[in-house]
């Protein structure tokens, strides 16, 4: 799983929570780095913020959805603002599998992850690491 967020706190917190549930993660601090890592590591899922420097989440979604469909991972957007977008940005946001507001409810996020990546163990089968 690839986490893309310019906030180091958000990246580290989300990564720690997901890894505690047995989900392996890599992270990137902007959309450009995230796209490079998506091509290199081919993650099962990308979780991205929208507002970031260099390449924002919209740019990342555009790049990810432009690659071969067999290699394009599903995207979950986590953002503190999902309501003030127009035109192309709305269309790009629709390409994301899910869009959730920060701070995210972890149970809701895990449910979205399960739906986006059905090969993961069922929610009752995911056990926190000791």
């Amino acid at each position: 799983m690839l986490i893309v967020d310019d906030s180091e706190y958000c990246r580290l917190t989300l990564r720690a929570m997901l890894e505690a549930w047995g989900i392996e993660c890599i992270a990137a601090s902007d959309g450009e780095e995230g796209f490079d890592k998506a091509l290199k590591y081919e993650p099962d899922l990308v979780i991205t913020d929208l507002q970031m420097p260099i390449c924002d989440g919209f740019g990342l979604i555009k790049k990810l959805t432009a690659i071969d469909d067999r290699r394009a991972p599903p995207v979950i957007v986590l953002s503190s603002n999902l309501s003030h977008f127009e035109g192309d940005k709305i269309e790009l946001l629709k390409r994301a599998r899910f869009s959730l507001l920060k701070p995210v409810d972890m149970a809701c996020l895990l449910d979205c992850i399960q739906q986006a990546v059905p090969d993961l163990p069922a929610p009752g089968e995911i056990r926190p690491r000791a």
Side-chain angles (χ1 to χ4, degrees), residues 6-41:
D6 61 322
S7 165
E8 182 177 18
Y9 174 79
C10 288
R11 284 192 314 273
L12 292 174
T13 302
L14 186 56
R15 185 176 188 160
M17 287 191 277
L18 293 173
E19 287 182 346
W21 287 89
I23 299 171
E24 292 183 33
C25 299
I26 54 175
S29 60
D30 62 65
E32 192 66 38
E33 180 186 6
F35 183 67
D36 290 344
K37 286 189 175 185
L39 290 178
K40 181 177 181 178
Y41 297 106

Side-chain angles (χ1 to χ4, degrees), residues 67-115:
I67 62 176
D68 183 349
D69 286 342
R70 291 169 288 154
R71 291 182 54 210
V75 176
I76 295 177
V77 168
L78 301 183
S79 182
S80 57
N81 177 11
L82 292 171
S83 62
H84 292 35
F85 302 113
E86 298 177 351
D88 291 345
K89 288 187 175 183
I90 291 174
E91 292 306 311
L92 286 168
L93 195 54
K94 288 179 183 178
R95 294 182 191 177
R97 186 80 200 298
F98 297 98
S99 298
L100 303 172
L101 283 171
K102 289 180 182 179
V104 67
D105 175 85
M106 201 55 192
C108 180
L109 178 59
L110 284 172
D111 183 54
C112 292
I113 290 169
Q114 284 294 149
Q115 290 180 54

